[in-house]
Amino acid sequence: MEKGVILQYFEWYTPSEPHLWVELKENAKKLKEAGFSAIWMPPSYKGIAGKNDVGYGAYDLYDLGEFDAKGSIPTKYGTKDELLTCVKSLHEAGLDVYSDVVLDHKMGADGFEKVKAREVANDKRDEFVSDEEEIEVATIFNFPARKDKYSSFHWNWEDFDGIDYDNTTHRHADYLFASKQWDDEVDDENENYDYLMGADLDFSNPDVVEECKRWGLWYLETVGNDGFRLDALKHIKASFYKEWIADLRQKTNKELFTVGEYWHGDVNRLLHYLQLVNYQFSLFDVPLHYNFYHASHSMGAFDMRDIFKNTLVACSPARAVTFVDNHDTQPAEGLQSFIDDWFKKQAYALILLREEGYPCVFYGDYYGIAHNHIASKRDMIDEMLEIRKDRMEGARHDYFNNPDIIGWTYEGLHQNGFAVIMTNARGGSRQMYMGESYRGCHMSDGKHEVVISDDGIGTFLVDDGDCSIYVTIE
């Protein structure tokens, strides 16, 4: 994955027409030529809202757009045949495919059953606020449209440990089923953050674990993906995924690159989780995203020397997937923390034009988000991808010793290096070393021109609140 770049190929408001799988198939060659090496595809199975489900309201993981369930045959992104054709085209173009996995919960049950349960406090999940009572819950999943094709496993309340709705009283509350306990090895927010939404899978149940393993192997054999993006890690027993991914790698004899979403701004939580899973996969660098967010919203007060402080890419670069934004951070979504437009160039330069970490570009930045009237940054990102591919070579020299203006240079090979200088406040200049082989060379960012001195140093300029990338010119 040297110089590899992931493209997250969806955003929250991706329309259901035309089908995304068809669009992605048609763009495969262009994306490879642009400099992407892998595609993170959205959840490809049937959700509670059928063709209108983004994919995180997981219903039937074996329905890849094949069965008439939840009001449609296709998922939001297309049919099973379109999915498989898309993956084939991506592989033919030389792109890896990472599939989104949602195993935390199920939604859209096929039936209800009565179960004994107790209500727990929303902010203290280990604290009961009611006596044991009988409630009616949506925990019967027998998938009548599929008729046991691919799997005959039927789910009932014993396969879950809790839910957030009593159908008898029509009351929303968090319930823990009798004789159950929340899974351990989860985040300690709310004392125990096992429960997130829907019918929560009980990963202490061996039948559940085995069915998830069977599904994972079936999915790999059916779709032919090269790895996974794991959803909601902080809500799932860590040892489950440690065992799950090891089992799939052993059975397929494949690397199966895997990145997980452990959404926490404290890098120590991420480092602890990596220890728990024996560093078997990577994590998204959420702390770095929040540094970008604070820098873009601080009115110039953020100290740019600290942009990598307490981030995963600084502490464990080999396990860091860096990103600027994603479908959860975009406007109006649950983790909204969208990077302001003026700082997007700085943020993408910090992940694409340095070798540490495995960068991930967001569809909503690359193509724009029509729903929120957000313009495409494709030209800017394509320019960086080209520089990353062709010029990011040789020695790097960092200049992170000014609170407002930071920069770095790559010497490259045969005078094909580059220099980056950026600010989140007032503009200015920095002297940075390019290498003695550059003496007398002219470099430009399209607005300013620099002549490199005999000792290999240039005085590079940047405008207020901007990021400049200098390359050699004739």
Side-chain angles (χ1 to χ4, degrees):
M1 293 177 291
E2 184 180 358
K3 292 190 181 181
V5 181
I6 307 168
L7 174 61
Q8 177 188 355
Y9 203 87
F10 67 102
E11 51 99 358
W12 197 264
Y13 300 105
T14 300
S16 56
E17 295 289 345
H19 288 167
L20 190 72
W21 303 146
V22 175
E23 175 194 313
L24 178 52
K25 170 183 173 291
E26 293 173 350
N27 286 335
K29 291 182 180 178
K30 293 179 183 177
L31 294 173
K32 179 63 177 180
E33 291 168 358
F36 293 105
S37 59
I39 303 297
W40 162 14
M41 300 176 76
S44 55
Y45 23 79
K46 195 68 59 71
I48 184 175
K51 67 178 181 180
N52 297 313
D53 200 294
V54 176
Y56 297 100
Y59 165 64
D60 185 1
L61 275 61
Y62 288 97
D63 184 355
L64 305 179
E66 181 179 4
F67 305 100
D68 191 355
K70 300 304 174 187
S72 67
I73 292 177
T75 67
K76 181 177 184 180
Y77 310 109
T79 65
K80 178 182 178 181
D81 287 344
E82 289 170 339
L83 168 64
L84 300 184
T85 300
C86 176
V87 171
K88 181 181 178 182
S89 296
L90 292 171
H91 284 158
E92 289 173 348
L95 291 160
D96 286 340
V97 175
Y98 303 151
S99 297
D100 209 315
V101 174
V102 184
L103 293 181
D104 173 76
H105 52 269
K106 286 192 175 296
M107 305 178 80
D110 302 306
F112 295 88
E113 57 187 328
K114 298 289 183 68
V115 63
K116 298 287 188 179
R118 285 197 286 177
E119 183 183 344
V120 299
N122 182 259
D123 59 345
K124 293 183 179 180
R125 299 282 172 73
D126 285 337
E127 182 177 306
F128 293 109
V129 295
S130 79
D131 294 329
E132 188 174 292
E133 57 185 307
E134 186 175 75
I135 61 175
E136 187 176 54
V137 293
T139 48
I140 297 293
F141 291 84
N142 49 28
F143 315 111
R146 182 159 54 81
K147 299 178 181 177
D148 289 350
K149 188 176 182 180
Y150 307 128
S151 173
S152 59
F153 190 87
H154 292 182
W155 300 71
N156 61 55
W157 75 269
E158 294 180 333
D159 303 311
F160 307 99
D161 47 28
I163 205 163
D164 63 351
Y165 185 73
D166 175 11
N167 191 57
T168 301
T169 61
H170 305 293
R171 183 166 180 268
H172 291 275
D174 294 335
Y175 296 98
L176 177 66
F177 298 155
S179 75
K180 295 280 189 174
Q181 60 184 19
W182 301 122
D183 286 332
D184 57 4
E185 299 177 14
V186 297
D187 194 81
D188 63 5
E189 186 176 344
N190 301 327
E191 294 187 350
N192 177 294
Y193 216 177
D194 178 15
Y195 187 79
L196 176 63
M197 64 178 72
D200 188 77
L201 269 65
D202 180 3
F203 290 105
S204 65
N205 182 331
D207 293 338
V208 169
V209 172
E210 288 307 309
E211 173 61 8
C212 288
K213 287 181 180 179
R214 282 193 296 269
W215 172 80
L217 184 60
W218 171 86
Y219 188 92
L220 282 165
E221 293 174 342
T222 301
V223 176
N225 55 306
D226 306 286
F228 300 102
R229 179 265 183 187
L230 307 179
D231 185 58
L233 289 185
K234 65 192 290 186
H235 310 282
I236 297 173
K237 189 180 182 76
S239 57
F240 162 75
Y241 264 134
K242 177 183 176 182
E243 180 182 344
W244 186 82
I245 195 64
D247 181 70
L248 292 179
R249 284 171 174 157
Q250 187 272 324
K251 288 176 178 174
T252 63
N253 197 29
K254 292 181 178 179
E255 177 188 357
L256 299 179
F257 172 82
T258 299
V259 55
E261 177 215 31
Y262 194 105
W263 197 267
H264 209 294
D266 182 352
V267 70
N268 293 311
R269 300 294 185 100
L270 275 60
L271 293 171
H272 177 65
Y273 185 85
L274 287 172
Q275 288 182 327
L276 288 177
V277 298
N278 199 27
Y279 301 93
Q280 289 198 69
F281 43 86
S282 299
L283 296 176
F284 287 106
D285 196 344
V286 177
L288 179 62
H289 161 76
Y290 279 124
N291 280 359
F292 292 159
Y293 179 77
H294 296 317
S296 78
H297 290 81
S298 70
M299 302 295 289
F302 186 90
D303 190 331
M304 290 294 284
R305 293 172 296 187
D306 295 337
I307 198 69
F308 289 119
K309 186 176 181 180
N310 297 324
T311 64
L312 191 60
V313 74
C315 298
S316 185
R319 290 290 176 263
V321 172
T322 55
F323 70 104
V324 176
D325 274 307
N326 66 25
H327 62 293
D328 284 323
T329 70
Q330 70 183 84
E333 293 316 305
L335 299 172
Q336 177 179 329
S337 47
F338 207 56
I339 311 305
D340 271 3
D341 223 44
W342 71 271
F343 197 75
K344 287 283 185 177
K345 188 173 184 181
Q346 288 92 320
Y348 271 107
L350 286 160
I351 70 169
L352 291 176
L353 298 183
R354 300 175 67 83
E355 67 265 32
E356 293 89 352
Y358 189 5
C360 182
V361 172
F362 177 42
Y363 182 102
D365 289 329
Y366 197 65
Y367 292 108
I369 305 175
H371 179 271
N372 299 108
H373 308 290
I374 293 172
S376 164
K377 310 293 186 301
R378 182 174 177 177
D379 290 345
M380 175 195 80
I381 294 171
D382 279 348
E383 177 188 355
M384 292 188 195
L385 289 173
E386 184 176 0
I387 290 172
R388 178 181 179 86
K389 182 171 52 175
D390 299 335
R391 295 175 177 269
M392 203 170 76
E393 302 282 355
R396 187 182 76 203
H397 308 282
D398 287 341
Y399 298 85
F400 282 65
N401 53 3
N402 182 285
D404 297 327
I405 300 174
I406 60 172
W408 64 93
T409 66
Y410 273 92
E411 291 190 31
L413 303 174
H414 311 297
Q415 297 181 344
N416 75 332
F418 64 96
V420 179
I421 181 170
M422 66 178 66
T423 178
N424 72 330
R426 297 292 297 274
S429 64
R430 295 297 310 276
Q431 286 193 335
M432 298 192 295
Y433 181 73
M434 280 301 307
E436 292 184 11
S437 67
Y438 283 82
R439 65 183 64 180
C441 283
H442 291 243
M443 300 184 71
S444 174
D445 67 345
K447 295 177 291 184
H448 310 106
E449 189 170 323
V450 176
V451 181
I452 307 302
S453 69
D454 288 345
D455 53 7
I457 295 172
T459 302
F460 297 91
L461 292 85
V462 64
D463 294 335
D464 293 351
D466 202 359
C467 172
S468 288
I469 303 169
Y470 288 80
V471 297
T472 52
I473 56 175
E474 296 296 333

